[in-house]
Amino acid sequence: MFKRILLAVDGSEHSIRSANYAIELAEKFNGVINVVYVVDGNKAKSDVLHATDKFALKKMRNDKLKAVKELLNKTDIQYEIKILHGEAGPTLVNYANNNEIDGVVLGSRGLNNLQTFILGSVSHKVAKRVECPVLIVK
């Protein structure tokens, strides 16, 4: 049922809580986790400006994944990490829909009602457009 799980991460506490749920699903269904971190254009520019070289940039991005990697390394679950570029919502949807993903696990951003109404949250965009079940972790 959930053989291929997409875990969307961004380095936040929501990502860590989401990772715990993804791990439970993967253990229950003997699944594989695809950890995806999406870097949008503004964040990419900011990262490049603050990094001293390409190795520092890579380290900054890997630091965002560190806690989730540590959780996954404590298990026997197979996983792979992808760093993608683009707007988070559409990029995650595209990845899920084009890579035979059976379920997506991601954290809620906690936007207030006005922000959600005007901007839409990543979790809302993913849940609305992806072709598989989505678990949004508060």
Side-chain angles (χ1 to χ4, degrees), residues 39-76:
V39 181
D40 70 14
N42 292 332
K43 181 66 177 156
K45 289 177 190 174
S46 173
D47 286 351
V48 169
L49 290 173
H50 290 96
T52 54
D53 58 30
K54 67 180 179 180
F55 299 109
L57 179 62
K58 186 174 182 176
K59 182 183 180 327
M60 285 172 49
R61 291 184 178 158
N62 283 330
D63 285 347
K64 295 208 181 270
L65 303 167
K66 186 177 181 180
V68 171
K69 283 170 46 175
E70 287 174 357
L71 285 173
L72 289 165
N73 286 334
K74 292 178 185 175
T75 71
D76 292 328

Side-chain angles (χ1 to χ4, degrees), residues 100-113:
E100 299 178 9
I101 298 297
D102 299 316
V104 176
V105 180
L106 72 164
S108 64
R109 279 192 57 190
L111 293 175
N112 68 39
N113 288 337

